[in-house]
Amino acid sequence: MAKNGIARAARKELADVPRQLAALASMSVPDLAEKYLEVYGEPTRSRNRDYLKKRLSFRIQELAEGSLSTRAVTRIAELGDKLPERWRMRQVEETKPSAPPPAAADVRAAAADARAPAADGRDARLPPPGTVLTRAFKGTQHRVTVREGGVEYEGQLHRSLSSVAKLITGTAWNGFSFFGLKAGGPKAVKS
């Protein structure tokens, strides 16, 4: 008897999906955030209405009709490097063992250490002097050599990678991001 009740509830929920999706269009952001908590079991940090509607639509349908098949998940894993980077990053995060979050004081201390100059006065985030960083931008390969007093680009010494990135692109960039030193390590060739 209990199985019949569960099956009946599941059929009702599945039939209710179009109504639930239509209701999302008229919900306010606080209502969407409340619905997000209901269907995901955790609060959202986002207050972007379109983003919340999209995520809720996906989750409502997923709960009613099921998630990706095992075969699809296996195929995604097989594609590996051919996947867009944002998908790969999500998979890496999902496979990482969960560690307790660091204390706020530890995070502040680590951030201060990263910004502190190395013993020789260089930015500690830079690779060792002599390292050549490469970056292709608009079809041109750009090479920057890390030096004791900064970075060398086209024979001139610059104070930071950001100034070189701005020179190359014409807009303000974080130099560490531009040269790939933030995500996945440096794109460096030792000379």
Side-chain angles (χ1 to χ4, degrees):
M1 191 76 162
K3 281 186 179 180
N4 286 342
I6 293 171
R8 213 174 300 124
R11 280 194 305 272
K12 182 180 178 199
E13 188 72 23
L14 185 58
D16 199 31
V17 169
R19 188 188 61 73
Q20 288 184 49
L21 296 177
L24 293 176
S26 62
M27 288 183 164
S28 66
V29 172
D31 292 338
L32 291 169
E34 187 177 316
K35 183 72 171 176
Y36 188 97
L37 177 62
E38 177 187 324
V39 299
Y40 279 99
E42 63 186 28
T44 180
R45 294 180 302 186
S46 176
R47 292 292 177 239
N48 182 312
R49 189 170 196 272
D50 291 334
Y51 170 80
L52 289 172
K53 284 180 5 185
K54 190 184 310 179
R55 292 290 309 264
L56 287 168
S57 297
F58 174 81
R59 183 67 174 164
I60 289 168
Q61 292 174 71
E62 180 183 39
L63 290 172
E65 300 169 15
S67 186
L68 289 174
S69 68
T70 307
R71 181 173 174 232
V73 172
T74 303
R75 179 68 177 137
I76 290 169
E78 288 172 359
L79 291 173
D81 290 337
K82 295 178 185 173
L83 291 173
E85 184 176 351
R86 66 176 194 262
W87 292 3
R88 289 194 310 263
M89 297 308 293
R90 188 178 309 151
Q91 285 183 329
V92 169
E93 289 172 8
E94 290 172 0
T95 58
K96 283 183 187 173
S98 59
D106 294 342
V107 171
R108 283 191 298 273
D113 288 347
R115 287 188 303 269
D120 60 1
R122 291 180 332 100
D123 188 325
R125 297 173 294 171
L126 282 172
T131 303
V132 176
L133 304 173
T134 60
R135 170 64 150 82
F137 183 77
K138 292 191 175 180
T140 304
Q141 189 77 7
H142 299 275
R143 297 170 55 90
V144 174
T145 305
V146 178
R147 300 288 181 212
E148 291 293 332
V151 292
E152 182 183 328
Y153 176 67
E154 294 184 338
Q156 293 195 343
L157 193 62
H158 297 269
R159 258 177 21 114
S160 67
L161 284 173
S162 296
S163 64
V164 174
K166 184 173 184 177
L167 186 66
I168 293 169
T169 64
T171 60
W173 269 81
N174 178 307
F176 292 95
S177 292
F178 184 79
F179 285 100
L181 293 174
K182 278 193 170 180
K187 298 173 182 166
V189 179
K190 188 74 173 169
S191 31

